[in-house]
Amino acid sequence: MTAANLSLAFRRFGAWSPAYWVGMLALFALAQQAASSLNCDVSWLITTAERVLDGAKLYRDIEEVNPPASVLIYMPFVALARELGLHPEAVTVVMVAALAVLSIYISGRIFCPLPATRWRLTAFAAFALLVLPVDQFAQREHIALIAGLPMLTLLVTRIEERAPGLHHAWTAGLGGGIMVAIKPHLLLALLPVAGWAVVRQRSFRPVLGGEWIALALVCIGYTAIVWLAFPSYLDHMLPLLRLVYLPNRDSWMHLLTGSMVLIPAFAAALTFRIAHGYPTVPAGAALLASCGFAVAGLIQGKGYLNHGYPAVAMALLAIALELSRPGAAWRFGTLCWALLALASTFSYAQVAQPYALRDAVLRLGPPHPKLLGISFDFALGHPLTRWVAGRWVGRRGSLWVTGSSRQQLGDPSLAPAQRAAVARAAGEDAAMLADDILRNQPDIVLVDAEPGSAWIARHPGVRRAMQSYRPATHIGAVTLWVRQCADKQDVSRHCPQ
């Protein structure tokens, strides 16, 4: 093939429809997810959704740290999987990918870029929503960004003083409402973009459109659902979160040097460099949204990778939007974008896969083992339990109350009343664990090195509950304790009932 033919082929390649690029990247994302596993949060939320569909009472029979929306968004996927006889993980991945494709389509219809640049923007958006998340795929923040992207796109049209159709406004507003319901902090991504529209037009008309009415209706409806259907969240879980979870923050040094801040900062610098100091309205709006997402993550103060994903995705989209400008430094900008995108994708592909632990559970436990963990690490039992087709029999996914209380109890300036309340919550955490062991008799108890057997010995209730268990094997920092009759190497022992 001659150089001229290669050039012609490349031009035809770039001229293919946006649907082609979305489809190809969607297939790549599905293959990528098939080669890995959903992370601990998604795995636990699927488990929680299953338990709720089976009749368990959320925040009583099974406890989730986050508000009800975090469970509700996975329930349709789990219900559909049951109807089809498929694994919930597979259905979740396919449905979230389909929602991402729909979000890109709706955003494209609202934004209406020029045909010459549409394939570029579509490809960049598809990468951000389908490929970039890697191990954060189907996380709440991922789904929230998918839902909120049309709203952000519509706000760009408001800044540019274009009048979107009423159906577009309501559709975008519904998605924005879902995003805010999933994580109320994420409203901070919409406000600066809307503020720019108000300042630019010197009028409040941009924030009085149908999209904001739809967003408000979704949030009001969700609040009513929480109030009426999940009173235990307000009465029990929210006070517990305020006591032990919310005060437990990562250091500012770690937060400010993490990908949630650094990658958007580099992307902003690159966008202004490509734009010679004057980004286009869409690129500027994407940077403002990225900044809002980053501030939301800083307010949460945990430094988790999933908290920073929306900020990183919008920052990469800002570069892409600037590169779509005629005459932009395409080669230089694309090279820098590719390096930044690869670094971001690599940072989201660092979730450990517990293969050795899985093999040990399969070796020591019966088919479909009942599992429980004594660990501060939420990732110890999830997605491990689903990997071995097991059943998690604890009301909590980990000793997160005890783990979160350590930072406060180690603070000598903590008020005595607060210290007593935190210590009482940690004691109730241990009591709940002991009750779950006695009531459900797990086949295997995963005991992490932290807190370890010393913690078991310090809590009489847990020590009594573990009397019918003994250490069977060690996998790294984890010890697998088995019930006497569950030990396949010593079947002559009697299993206490």
Side-chain angles (χ1 to χ4, degrees):
M1 183 178 288
T2 65
N5 289 336
L6 282 172
S7 177
L8 178 61
F10 181 79
R11 286 196 299 272
R12 289 176 177 175
F13 184 67
W16 285 345
S17 70
Y20 168 83
W21 293 102
V22 174
M24 289 297 292
L25 286 171
L27 290 175
F28 180 82
L30 294 176
Q32 176 180 265
Q33 294 303 311
S36 62
S37 63
L38 297 176
N39 69 14
C40 60
D41 288 341
V42 179
S43 179
W44 167 252
L45 289 168
I46 289 175
T47 296
T48 304
E50 287 180 332
R51 294 268 289 272
V52 172
L53 287 173
D54 289 334
K57 192 74 172 178
L58 188 59
Y59 306 114
R60 186 193 68 187
D61 303 322
I62 186 167
E63 292 192 359
E64 162 56 19
V65 175
N66 295 282
S70 295
V71 179
L72 294 176
I73 58 175
Y74 295 96
M75 289 180 69
F77 307 148
V78 173
L80 179 61
R82 289 184 172 185
E83 288 293 322
L84 299 177
L86 300 173
H87 290 292
E89 288 83 353
V91 174
T92 298
V93 167
V94 172
M95 291 303 297
V96 171
L99 291 173
V101 172
L102 179 62
S103 176
I104 293 169
Y105 172 77
I106 294 172
S107 299
R109 297 284 292 180
I110 294 172
F111 188 50
C112 297
L114 296 174
T117 60
R118 185 177 299 161
W119 72 269
R120 295 179 183 176
L121 293 178
T122 301
F124 283 126
F127 174 87
L129 294 186
L130 293 167
V131 179
L132 173 66
V134 197
D135 293 332
Q136 307 304 318
F137 198 92
Q139 265 279 22
R140 289 154 295 150
E141 289 79 7
H142 182 214
I143 297 174
L145 181 59
I146 289 171
L149 184 62
M151 179 73 172
L152 289 167
T153 305
L154 188 131
L155 290 177
V156 170
T157 67
R158 297 293 190 192
I159 297 173
E160 295 179 335
E161 300 187 48
R162 289 191 280 140
L166 184 61
H167 62 292
H168 284 154
W170 278 86
T171 301
L174 291 174
I178 293 172
M179 181 180 79
V180 174
I182 293 173
K183 285 267 182 141
H185 307 78
L186 301 186
L187 181 64
L188 293 173
L190 302 177
L191 294 180
V193 184
W196 186 11
V198 170
V199 171
R200 181 160 178 161
Q201 296 191 28
R202 299 179 181 179
S203 170
F204 285 99
R205 284 181 301 174
V207 295
L208 299 176
E211 65 273 17
W212 292 102
I213 298 174
L215 185 149
L217 289 175
V218 171
C219 293
I220 292 171
Y222 170 64
T223 302
I225 290 173
V226 174
W227 187 274
L228 297 174
F230 301 99
S232 296
Y233 175 76
L234 302 174
D235 300 336
H236 165 62
M237 184 54 62
L238 196 55
L240 182 61
L241 295 176
R242 289 172 176 167
L243 178 65
V244 300
Y245 185 74
L246 297 180
N248 187 24
R249 295 177 55 88
D250 201 352
S251 68
W252 279 107
M253 177 62 70
H254 187 268
L255 289 172
L256 295 176
T257 57
S259 60
M260 178 171 60
V261 173
L262 288 185
I263 291 178
F266 281 123
L270 178 60
T271 302
F272 275 88
R273 167 68 178 81
I274 297 172
H276 303 290
Y278 297 96
T280 61
V281 167
L287 288 178
L288 284 175
S290 176
C291 180
F293 281 129
V295 171
L298 292 175
I299 289 174
Q300 293 176 89
K302 304 300 181 184
Y304 300 150
L305 287 175
N306 54 296
H307 289 182
Y309 161 74
V312 172
M314 289 306 300
L316 292 175
L317 278 175
I319 302 173
L321 288 164
E322 192 57 44
L323 288 174
S324 67
R325 175 192 289 187
W330 172 253
R331 292 183 179 179
F332 169 77
T334 303
L335 176 62
C336 294
W337 180 93
L339 294 174
L340 205 55
L342 288 174
S344 305
T345 305
F346 179 78
S347 71
Y348 292 136
Q350 299 302 298
V351 176
Q353 306 292 333
Y355 298 114
L357 198 57
R358 174 199 60 187
D359 295 341
V361 170
L362 292 174
R363 183 176 70 252
L364 293 171
H368 309 293
K370 295 187 292 184
L371 300 179
L372 205 147
I374 300 179
S375 173
F376 303 142
D377 185 3
F378 195 78
L380 176 61
H382 320 280
L384 173 66
T385 302
R386 305 192 66 83
W387 275 24
V388 299
R391 184 160 62 94
W392 186 263
V393 294
R395 277 169 282 182
R396 290 172 177 167
S398 69
L399 290 169
W400 64 267
V401 173
T402 303
S404 298
S405 67
R406 291 182 302 165
Q407 185 178 29
Q408 293 189 75
L409 293 176
D411 183 3
S413 64
L414 190 66
Q418 181 80 355
R419 181 178 298 276
V422 172
R424 185 166 55 253
E428 292 170 354
D429 197 25
M432 179 181 290
L433 173 68
D435 184 63
D436 286 339
I437 295 173
L438 292 171
R439 186 195 302 261
N440 300 311
Q441 296 188 349
D443 299 302
I444 297 176
V445 179
L446 308 167
V447 181
D448 210 342
E450 183 69 27
S453 56
W455 182 88
I456 297 175
R458 289 197 304 270
H459 293 81
V462 180
R463 186 173 65 247
R464 285 193 298 270
M466 292 291 289
Q467 285 179 348
S468 60
Y469 292 81
R470 69 176 185 85
T473 189
H474 302 276
I475 303 295
V478 181
T479 304
L480 282 74
W481 292 53
V482 298
R483 293 171 60 200
Q484 305 296 346
C485 69
D487 186 357
K488 294 181 178 179
Q489 305 304 318
D490 191 358
V491 295
S492 64
R493 291 180 179 269
H494 175 66
C495 178
Q497 299 297 324

Short mmCIF file of all heavy atoms in Angstrom, two decimals, residues 315-358:
data_model
loop_
_atom_site.label_atom_id
_atom_site.label_comp_id
_atom_site.label_asym_id
_atom_site.label_seq_id
_atom_site.Cartn_x
_atom_site.Cartn_y
_atom_site.Cartn_z
N ALA A 315 -11.66 17.03 33.41
CA ALA A 315 -10.42 17.73 33.03
C ALA A 315 -9.91 17.24 31.68
O ALA A 315 -9.48 18.04 30.83
CB ALA A 315 -9.36 17.53 34.11
N LEU A 316 -9.95 15.93 31.48
CA LEU A 316 -9.52 15.38 30.18
C LEU A 316 -10.48 15.81 29.07
O LEU A 316 -10.04 16.08 27.93
CB LEU A 316 -9.46 13.86 30.27
CG LEU A 316 -8.36 13.29 31.18
CD1 LEU A 316 -8.48 11.77 31.27
CD2 LEU A 316 -6.98 13.67 30.66
N LEU A 317 -11.76 15.92 29.38
CA LEU A 317 -12.71 16.40 28.38
C LEU A 317 -12.47 17.87 28.04
O LEU A 317 -12.68 18.29 26.89
CB LEU A 317 -14.14 16.22 28.89
CG LEU A 317 -14.75 14.83 28.72
CD1 LEU A 317 -16.12 14.76 29.38
CD2 LEU A 317 -14.86 14.45 27.25
N ALA A 318 -12.00 18.64 29.01
CA ALA A 318 -11.71 20.05 28.74
C ALA A 318 -10.61 20.17 27.69
O ALA A 318 -10.70 21.01 26.77
CB ALA A 318 -11.28 20.75 30.04
N ILE A 319 -9.58 19.35 27.82
CA ILE A 319 -8.50 19.37 26.80
C ILE A 319 -9.06 18.99 25.44
O ILE A 319 -8.76 19.63 24.42
CB ILE A 319 -7.37 18.40 27.20
CG1 ILE A 319 -6.80 18.77 28.57
CG2 ILE A 319 -6.27 18.41 26.15
CD1 ILE A 319 -5.80 17.76 29.10
N ALA A 320 -9.90 17.94 25.42
CA ALA A 320 -10.46 17.49 24.16
C ALA A 320 -11.32 18.58 23.51
O ALA A 320 -11.27 18.78 22.29
CB ALA A 320 -11.29 16.24 24.39
N LEU A 321 -12.09 19.28 24.31
CA LEU A 321 -12.92 20.35 23.77
C LEU A 321 -12.08 21.47 23.19
O LEU A 321 -12.44 22.07 22.16
CB LEU A 321 -13.85 20.88 24.88
CG LEU A 321 -14.99 19.94 25.29
CD1 LEU A 321 -15.59 20.36 26.61
CD2 LEU A 321 -16.06 19.91 24.20
N GLU A 322 -10.97 21.77 23.82
CA GLU A 322 -10.10 22.81 23.29
C GLU A 322 -9.41 22.36 22.01
O GLU A 322 -9.21 23.15 21.09
CB GLU A 322 -9.05 23.20 24.34
CG GLU A 322 -8.28 24.46 24.01
CD GLU A 322 -9.19 25.66 23.79
OE1 GLU A 322 -10.12 25.86 24.59
OE2 GLU A 322 -8.97 26.38 22.80
N LEU A 323 -9.08 21.07 21.94
CA LEU A 323 -8.43 20.55 20.73
C LEU A 323 -9.39 20.53 19.54
O LEU A 323 -8.94 20.45 18.39
CB LEU A 323 -7.92 19.12 20.99
CG LEU A 323 -6.69 19.01 21.90
CD1 LEU A 323 -6.38 17.54 22.18
CD2 LEU A 323 -5.48 19.69 21.27
N SER A 324 -10.70 20.60 19.79
CA SER A 324 -11.65 20.61 18.69
C SER A 324 -11.74 21.96 18.01
O SER A 324 -12.37 22.09 16.96
CB SER A 324 -13.05 20.20 19.20
OG SER A 324 -13.57 21.19 20.07
N ARG A 325 -11.12 22.98 18.60
CA ARG A 325 -11.13 24.31 17.99
C ARG A 325 -10.31 24.30 16.70
O ARG A 325 -9.21 23.74 16.66
CB ARG A 325 -10.55 25.34 18.95
CG ARG A 325 -10.42 26.72 18.35
CD ARG A 325 -9.57 27.64 19.21
NE ARG A 325 -10.25 28.04 20.44
CZ ARG A 325 -9.76 28.95 21.27
NH1 ARG A 325 -8.60 29.52 21.01
NH2 ARG A 325 -10.41 29.27 22.36
N PRO A 326 -10.82 24.89 15.63
CA PRO A 326 -10.05 24.95 14.38
C PRO A 326 -8.71 25.65 14.61
O PRO A 326 -8.63 26.68 15.27
CB PRO A 326 -10.95 25.76 13.44
CG PRO A 326 -12.33 25.58 13.99
CD PRO A 326 -12.18 25.47 15.47
N GLY A 327 -7.68 25.04 14.08
CA GLY A 327 -6.35 25.62 14.20
C GLY A 327 -5.64 25.29 15.50
O GLY A 327 -4.54 25.81 15.76
N ALA A 328 -6.23 24.45 16.35
CA ALA A 328 -5.58 24.09 17.61
C ALA A 328 -4.33 23.27 17.37
O ALA A 328 -4.18 22.61 16.32
CB ALA A 328 -6.56 23.31 18.49
N ALA A 329 -3.41 23.31 18.32
CA ALA A 329 -2.18 22.53 18.22
C ALA A 329 -2.51 21.06 18.43
O ALA A 329 -2.30 20.50 19.50
CB ALA A 329 -1.17 23.03 19.25
N TRP A 330 -3.02 20.44 17.38
CA TRP A 330 -3.59 19.10 17.50
C TRP A 330 -2.54 18.07 17.92
O TRP A 330 -2.77 17.28 18.84
CB TRP A 330 -4.23 18.71 16.17
CG TRP A 330 -4.67 17.29 16.09
CD1 TRP A 330 -4.11 16.28 15.39
CD2 TRP A 330 -5.81 16.71 16.76
NE1 TRP A 330 -4.79 15.12 15.57
CE2 TRP A 330 -5.84 15.35 16.41
CE3 TRP A 330 -6.77 17.21 17.62
CZ2 TRP A 330 -6.82 14.47 16.89
CZ3 TRP A 330 -7.74 16.34 18.11
CH2 TRP A 330 -7.76 15.00 17.74
N ARG A 331 -1.37 18.07 17.27
CA ARG A 331 -0.37 17.04 17.57
C ARG A 331 0.17 17.19 18.99
O ARG A 331 0.23 16.23 19.74
CB ARG A 331 0.76 17.10 16.55
CG ARG A 331 0.35 16.68 15.14
CD ARG A 331 1.54 16.69 14.20
NE ARG A 331 1.16 16.27 12.86
CZ ARG A 331 2.00 16.21 11.83
NH1 ARG A 331 3.29 16.55 11.99
NH2 ARG A 331 1.56 15.81 10.65
N PHE A 332 0.57 18.40 19.34
CA PHE A 332 1.11 18.64 20.68
C PHE A 332 0.06 18.36 21.75
O PHE A 332 0.32 17.66 22.73
CB PHE A 332 1.58 20.10 20.78
CG PHE A 332 1.90 20.53 22.19
CD1 PHE A 332 3.09 20.13 22.80
CD2 PHE A 332 1.01 21.33 22.91
CE1 PHE A 332 3.37 20.51 24.10
CE2 PHE A 332 1.29 21.73 24.20
CZ PHE A 332 2.47 21.32 24.80
N GLY A 333 -1.14 18.88 21.56
CA GLY A 333 -2.20 18.70 22.55
C GLY A 333 -2.61 17.25 22.68
O GLY A 333 -2.83 16.76 23.81
N THR A 334 -2.71 16.55 21.55
CA THR A 334 -3.12 15.15 21.61
C THR A 334 -2.07 14.30 22.31
O THR A 334 -2.41 13.39 23.08
CB THR A 334 -3.37 14.62 20.19
OG1 THR A 334 -4.36 15.43 19.54
CG2 THR A 334 -3.85 13.19 20.23
N LEU A 335 -0.80 14.59 22.05
CA LEU A 335 0.27 13.85 22.73
C LEU A 335 0.20 14.06 24.24
O LEU A 335 0.26 13.09 25.02
CB LEU A 335 1.62 14.29 22.19
CG LEU A 335 2.85 13.66 22.89
CD1 LEU A 335 2.84 12.15 22.72
CD2 LEU A 335 4.14 14.27 22.34
N CYS A 336 0.04 15.30 24.65
CA CYS A 336 -0.05 15.59 26.09
C CYS A 336 -1.30 14.97 26.69
O CYS A 336 -1.25 14.41 27.81
CB CYS A 336 -0.04 17.10 26.32
SG CYS A 336 1.51 17.92 25.88
N TRP A 337 -2.40 15.05 25.96
CA TRP A 337 -3.64 14.44 26.45
C TRP A 337 -3.46 12.93 26.61
O TRP A 337 -3.90 12.36 27.62
CB TRP A 337 -4.78 14.73 25.48
CG TRP A 337 -6.09 14.14 25.90
CD1 TRP A 337 -7.07 14.75 26.63
CD2 TRP A 337 -6.58 12.81 25.63
NE1 TRP A 337 -8.13 13.88 26.83
CE2 TRP A 337 -7.85 12.69 26.24
CE3 TRP A 337 -6.06 11.71 24.94
CZ2 TRP A 337 -8.60 11.53 26.16
CZ3 TRP A 337 -6.81 10.55 24.88
CH2 TRP A 337 -8.06 10.46 25.48
N ALA A 338 -2.82 12.30 25.64
CA ALA A 338 -2.63 10.86 25.70
C ALA A 338 -1.79 10.46 26.91
O ALA A 338 -2.10 9.49 27.61
CB ALA A 338 -1.98 10.36 24.41
N LEU A 339 -0.73 11.21 27.17
CA LEU A 339 0.12 10.90 28.33
C LEU A 339 -0.66 11.08 29.63
O LEU A 339 -0.56 10.25 30.54
CB LEU A 339 1.36 11.80 28.32
CG LEU A 339 2.35 11.58 27.18
CD1 LEU A 339 3.46 12.63 27.22
CD2 LEU A 339 2.94 10.17 27.25
N LEU A 340 -1.44 12.14 29.71
CA LEU A 340 -2.23 12.39 30.92
C LEU A 340 -3.32 11.33 31.07
O LEU A 340 -3.60 10.85 32.19
CB LEU A 340 -2.84 13.79 30.85
CG LEU A 340 -3.20 14.48 32.17
CD1 LEU A 340 -2.00 14.56 33.08
CD2 LEU A 340 -3.75 15.87 31.88
N ALA A 341 -3.94 10.96 29.96
CA ALA A 341 -5.00 9.95 30.00
C ALA A 341 -4.44 8.59 30.41
O ALA A 341 -5.06 7.86 31.20
CB ALA A 341 -5.68 9.85 28.64
N LEU A 342 -3.26 8.24 29.90
CA LEU A 342 -2.64 6.97 30.27
C LEU A 342 -2.29 6.95 31.75
O LEU A 342 -2.49 5.94 32.44
CB LEU A 342 -1.40 6.72 29.41
CG LEU A 342 -1.66 6.35 27.95
CD1 LEU A 342 -0.35 6.28 27.18
CD2 LEU A 342 -2.40 5.01 27.86
N ALA A 343 -1.75 8.06 32.25
CA ALA A 343 -1.42 8.13 33.67
C ALA A 343 -2.67 8.00 34.53
O ALA A 343 -2.67 7.30 35.56
CB ALA A 343 -0.69 9.44 33.97
N SER A 344 -3.75 8.65 34.11
CA SER A 344 -4.99 8.57 34.86
C SER A 344 -5.56 7.16 34.83
O SER A 344 -5.97 6.62 35.87
CB SER A 344 -6.02 9.55 34.27
OG SER A 344 -5.51 10.86 34.22
N THR A 345 -5.57 6.55 33.65
CA THR A 345 -6.11 5.19 33.52
C THR A 345 -5.29 4.22 34.36
O THR A 345 -5.84 3.34 35.03
CB THR A 345 -6.10 4.76 32.05
OG1 THR A 345 -6.82 5.72 31.27
CG2 THR A 345 -6.76 3.41 31.88
N PHE A 346 -3.98 4.38 34.35
CA PHE A 346 -3.11 3.50 35.14
C PHE A 346 -3.42 3.65 36.63
O PHE A 346 -3.43 2.67 37.37
CB PHE A 346 -1.65 3.83 34.87
CG PHE A 346 -0.68 2.99 35.66
CD1 PHE A 346 -0.40 1.68 35.28
CD2 PHE A 346 -0.05 3.50 36.78
CE1 PHE A 346 0.47 0.90 36.01
CE2 PHE A 346 0.83 2.73 37.52
CZ PHE A 346 1.09 1.42 37.13
N SER A 347 -3.68 4.87 37.08
CA SER A 347 -3.96 5.09 38.50
C SER A 347 -5.27 4.43 38.92
O SER A 347 -5.44 4.08 40.10
CB SER A 347 -4.02 6.59 38.81
OG SER A 347 -5.19 7.19 38.27
N TYR A 348 -6.20 4.25 37.98
CA TYR A 348 -7.48 3.61 38.29
C TYR A 348 -7.45 2.11 38.08
O TYR A 348 -8.47 1.44 38.23
CB TYR A 348 -8.60 4.21 37.45
CG TYR A 348 -8.90 5.64 37.80
CD1 TYR A 348 -9.10 6.61 36.82
CD2 TYR A 348 -8.99 6.04 39.13
CE1 TYR A 348 -9.36 7.93 37.15
CE2 TYR A 348 -9.25 7.35 39.46
CZ TYR A 348 -9.44 8.29 38.47
OH TYR A 348 -9.70 9.60 38.81
N ALA A 349 -6.30 1.57 37.72
CA ALA A 349 -6.18 0.13 37.46
C ALA A 349 -5.29 -0.54 38.50
O ALA A 349 -4.61 -1.52 38.21
CB ALA A 349 -5.62 -0.11 36.05
N GLN A 350 -5.29 0.00 39.72
CA GLN A 350 -4.38 -0.49 40.75
C GLN A 350 -5.09 -1.25 41.87
O GLN A 350 -4.54 -1.43 42.96
CB GLN A 350 -3.61 0.68 41.36
CG GLN A 350 -2.74 1.42 40.35
CD GLN A 350 -1.74 0.50 39.69
OE1 GLN A 350 -0.88 -0.07 40.33
NE2 GLN A 350 -1.87 0.34 38.38
N VAL A 351 -6.32 -1.69 41.64
CA VAL A 351 -7.03 -2.45 42.67
C VAL A 351 -6.48 -3.87 42.72
O VAL A 351 -6.43 -4.57 41.71
CB VAL A 351 -8.54 -2.48 42.38
CG1 VAL A 351 -9.27 -3.36 43.40
CG2 VAL A 351 -9.10 -1.06 42.41
N ALA A 352 -6.06 -4.31 43.91
CA ALA A 352 -5.48 -5.63 44.07
C ALA A 352 -6.53 -6.72 43.84
O ALA A 352 -7.68 -6.58 44.22
CB ALA A 352 -4.88 -5.77 45.46
N GLN A 353 -6.11 -7.80 43.20
CA GLN A 353 -7.00 -8.93 42.94
C GLN A 353 -6.60 -10.09 43.87
O GLN A 353 -5.51 -10.64 43.73
CB GLN A 353 -6.89 -9.36 41.47
CG GLN A 353 -7.13 -8.24 40.47
CD GLN A 353 -8.56 -7.74 40.48
OE1 GLN A 353 -9.47 -8.48 40.82
NE2 GLN A 353 -8.75 -6.49 40.12
N PRO A 354 -7.45 -10.48 44.81
CA PRO A 354 -7.06 -11.48 45.83
C PRO A 354 -7.16 -12.91 45.33
O PRO A 354 -7.95 -13.73 45.83
CB PRO A 354 -8.06 -11.20 46.96
CG PRO A 354 -9.29 -10.71 46.24
CD PRO A 354 -8.79 -9.94 45.05
N TYR A 355 -6.33 -13.27 44.35
CA TYR A 355 -6.40 -14.62 43.80
C TYR A 355 -6.01 -15.68 44.82
O TYR A 355 -6.68 -16.71 44.93
CB TYR A 355 -5.50 -14.72 42.57
CG TYR A 355 -5.89 -13.81 41.44
CD1 TYR A 355 -5.07 -12.76 41.04
CD2 TYR A 355 -7.09 -13.99 40.74
CE1 TYR A 355 -5.43 -11.91 40.00
CE2 TYR A 355 -7.46 -13.16 39.71
CZ TYR A 355 -6.62 -12.12 39.33
OH TYR A 355 -6.98 -11.28 38.31
N ALA A 356 -4.92 -15.45 45.56
CA ALA A 356 -4.46 -16.44 46.53
C ALA A 356 -5.51 -16.65 47.63
O ALA A 356 -5.76 -17.78 48.05
CB ALA A 356 -3.12 -16.00 47.13
N LEU A 357 -6.12 -15.56 48.07
CA LEU A 357 -7.14 -15.66 49.10
C LEU A 357 -8.36 -16.42 48.57
O LEU A 357 -8.97 -17.24 49.27
CB LEU A 357 -7.53 -14.27 49.57
CG LEU A 357 -8.25 -14.14 50.91
CD1 LEU A 357 -7.43 -14.76 52.03
CD2 LEU A 357 -8.53 -12.68 51.21
N ARG A 358 -8.72 -16.15 47.34
CA ARG A 358 -9.84 -16.88 46.73
C ARG A 358 -9.57 -18.38 46.69
O ARG A 358 -10.42 -19.19 47.06
CB ARG A 358 -10.06 -16.36 45.31
CG ARG A 358 -11.11 -17.13 44.51
CD ARG A 358 -10.95 -16.89 43.03
NE ARG A 358 -9.63 -17.33 42.56
CZ ARG A 358 -9.17 -17.11 41.34
NH1 ARG A 358 -9.91 -16.44 40.46
NH2 ARG A 358 -7.98 -17.55 40.98
#
